Amino acid sequence: MVKRILVLDDNQDILDIVHETLTYENFEVRSTGESEKVMPLVEEFNPDLVILDFRVAGTNGGELCQQIKAHPKFGNVPVIIFSAYINRDAELLRYGCDAIINKPFDLTELVEKVNNLIS
């Protein structure tokens, strides 16, 4: 069965690259640039993994991570947070994410972290 990944990033170029890369790796990918669409998409799409940009307008990626982790149906879904804030990993981990990818990031690192969390 194809694994599903939901991606949030308000930078369309990053969204396109991540979407294309993960689709190429045979994942089913849904992406959005709007934080308020994440929880409805989680419920509709039922992802196996969620990737959230930390710094987005509206609810930040950390707060969305907490909402996903607190949800009775999706609490075990791995969450990766993208962040351009170097040396903030401890702060970001407090939100309950399973991994952090610092921007700018290497696509190989992205694919490895996704595969490690989703398999």
Side-chain angles (χ1 to χ4, degrees):
M1 183 146 159
V2 176
K3 298 287 188 173
R4 299 166 161 219
I5 300 175
L6 175 62
V7 183
L8 164 72
D9 202 301
D10 56 1
N11 180 320
Q12 191 60 50
D13 292 336
I14 292 174
L15 214 51
D16 292 345
I17 290 167
V18 170
H19 193 107
E20 190 175 315
T21 300
L22 295 175
T23 301
Y24 179 79
E25 294 290 328
N26 298 313
F27 293 108
E28 184 179 342
V29 183
R30 281 263 180 97
S31 48
T32 182
E34 300 171 52
S35 64
E36 66 275 0
K37 292 186 177 176
V38 170
M39 290 312 292
L41 277 170
V42 165
E43 296 192 16
E44 172 197 324
F45 184 55
N46 197 17
D48 296 291
L49 182 131
V50 179
I51 299 173
L52 302 169
D53 183 16
F54 182 71
R55 192 68 177 225
V56 289
T59 309
N60 75 39
E63 292 163 344
L64 286 167
C65 176
Q66 287 178 320
Q67 289 176 28
I68 293 166
K69 294 296 188 177
H71 194 290
K73 186 175 175 190
F74 302 108
N76 292 328
V77 172
V79 176
I80 296 173
I81 292 182
F82 279 150
S83 175
Y85 299 97
I86 309 300
N87 302 324
R88 300 292 278 286
D89 289 9
E91 180 183 327
L92 294 174
L93 288 168
R94 277 188 240 128
Y95 287 103
C97 65
D98 298 276
I100 297 162
I101 295 179
N102 291 307
K103 291 180 178 180
F105 59 89
D106 179 76
L107 291 173
T108 307
E109 175 193 10
L110 171 69
V111 171
E112 282 176 10
K113 284 196 178 182
V114 166
N115 282 320
N116 287 339
L117 289 170
I118 214 167
S119 54

